[in-house]
Amino acid sequence: MLFDFEGTLADFIRPRHLLADEGAQAATAVLRAAGLALPDDFADQWRQALDLAAAKAAREQQEYSADDTLTFLIQYYGNSRASRKLVRQAVDAHYAPLVAAVTALPGALAVVQTLHQAGFHLAIVANANCDRSVQRMVRQIGLREQVDIVLTSQTVQMRKPRPELYTLTLQAWDVDPYQAVAVGARLDEDIAPAQELGMRAVLFNAQPHPTNARPAQQVQPDAEITSWDELWPLLAGWLTADARPDDDFWAAAAPLEPPPVPNDFDPETPAAA
């Protein structure tokens, strides 16, 4: 099982844009405390730089890390000697409000725990420009011990809908795509690449994602759920169907018993042409 994270397993208890505003101010404070000369509107420029990098990443399906984006911005203002450690501290400060405000969606934690106890391989595969923040969010909501893998686009520098993020996860488990199921809230980034590989794909549609209108004309999930308590019965049905003998070509083609032998059969006499 491969899950997307934000909007699928988790959300925030406060509006995301307010948390991002607080984070931008916190990141700016870290940089100024270290003595960097920055313009008065640096926090706004930092938010805009993140938005531009995200748009570019989505177009190119290649991730641009928050660390690199901030490094470029502060160097633009003449701070060429800012250390990598300082940049990481500022980026961590930016994402700290989101980490503090993240929460599991209703029923998500219970379902993941049930799947884990049942022996399923579980992974979180998410687009994100800061892997550290996602890892902390997963721990914050109590999921890290339940999943085998947390893979983000920042670590591999590729974004969904490129299928490589799914492929890398399946290779780590040594399983084929037909043995796996992906669950996500976006048709373009979650469902389409999973089906491209031959995986089953479940659309989590508790709150329809605004990007789903256009790809809905071309991408049809294998199933759709609107709450997490619908997932286990769906999987159980698929497992039962997959285990039926009449779904197996060879079981259906092979006769149940050998054909009868005629009473006058003589193995030493060739049959007539």
Side-chain angles (χ1 to χ4, degrees):
M1 296 289 303
L2 297 86
F3 301 96
D4 189 45
F5 186 64
E6 187 177 337
T8 300
L9 292 172
D11 204 346
F12 301 100
I13 60 175
R14 297 173 53 208
R16 200 184 198 287
H17 70 278
L18 296 180
L19 297 169
D21 287 341
E22 292 178 11
Q25 295 292 339
T28 302
V30 169
L31 296 174
R32 286 194 173 127
L36 272 63
L38 303 171
D40 293 340
D41 64 344
F42 183 83
D44 292 336
Q45 292 193 35
W46 165 230
R47 285 290 313 278
Q48 293 173 12
L50 284 174
D51 291 342
L52 290 172
K56 180 176 172 65
R59 287 194 307 270
E60 300 177 357
Q61 298 177 20
Q62 177 178 336
E63 193 61 78
Y64 295 95
S65 73
D67 289 15
D68 289 345
T69 302
L70 183 57
T71 298
F72 176 83
L73 185 60
I74 60 179
Q75 287 179 349
Y76 176 79
Y77 287 108
N79 300 285
S80 59
R81 295 186 179 181
S83 68
R84 180 176 297 182
K85 178 179 178 181
L86 176 60
V87 170
R88 286 171 60 94
Q89 289 174 338
V91 170
D92 289 349
H94 174 86
Y95 284 105
L98 284 87
V99 173
V102 71
T103 184
L105 287 172
L109 186 57
V111 167
V112 172
Q113 289 174 338
T114 298
L115 293 170
H116 174 70
Q117 292 168 0
F120 282 78
H121 290 305
L122 304 176
I124 294 172
V125 181
N127 285 338
N129 64 7
C130 182
D131 180 75
R132 300 187 304 276
S133 68
V134 174
Q135 300 288 347
R136 290 165 182 156
M137 289 180 195
V138 172
R139 288 196 296 270
Q140 176 79 0
I141 64 175
L143 282 179
R144 192 61 189 92
E145 298 303 319
Q146 314 297 325
V147 298
D148 311 314
I149 297 169
V150 179
L151 179 66
T152 68
S153 55
Q154 191 242 309
T155 61
V156 296
Q157 298 182 333
M158 294 180 291
R159 287 177 60 89
K160 296 181 293 183
R162 289 184 62 165
E164 286 91 342
L165 279 81
Y166 287 149
T167 301
L168 289 169
T169 304
L170 298 179
Q171 288 175 346
W173 290 333
D174 193 24
V175 301
D176 293 319
Y178 77 89
Q179 299 173 293
V181 177
V183 184
R186 292 188 58 158
L187 289 169
D188 56 349
E189 293 187 350
D190 302 319
I191 305 305
Q195 292 180 327
E196 179 183 341
L197 288 176
M199 299 166 59
R200 281 176 170 149
V202 178
L203 179 67
F204 182 74
N205 207 23
Q207 295 182 339
H209 199 279
T211 65
N212 284 346
R214 182 176 298 178
Q217 302 172 7
Q218 300 175 326
V219 181
Q220 294 296 322
D222 295 282
E224 179 178 329
I225 60 176
T226 57
S227 66
W228 277 108
D229 58 9
E230 299 173 41
L231 182 62
W232 181 252
L234 172 67
L235 296 177
W238 281 346
L239 289 169
T240 301
D242 290 346
R244 288 188 326 207
D246 58 358
D247 281 347
D248 185 339
F249 169 80
W250 296 110
L256 297 178
E257 298 179 359
V261 178
N263 294 331
D264 59 351
F265 173 71
D266 183 353
E268 296 182 359
T269 303

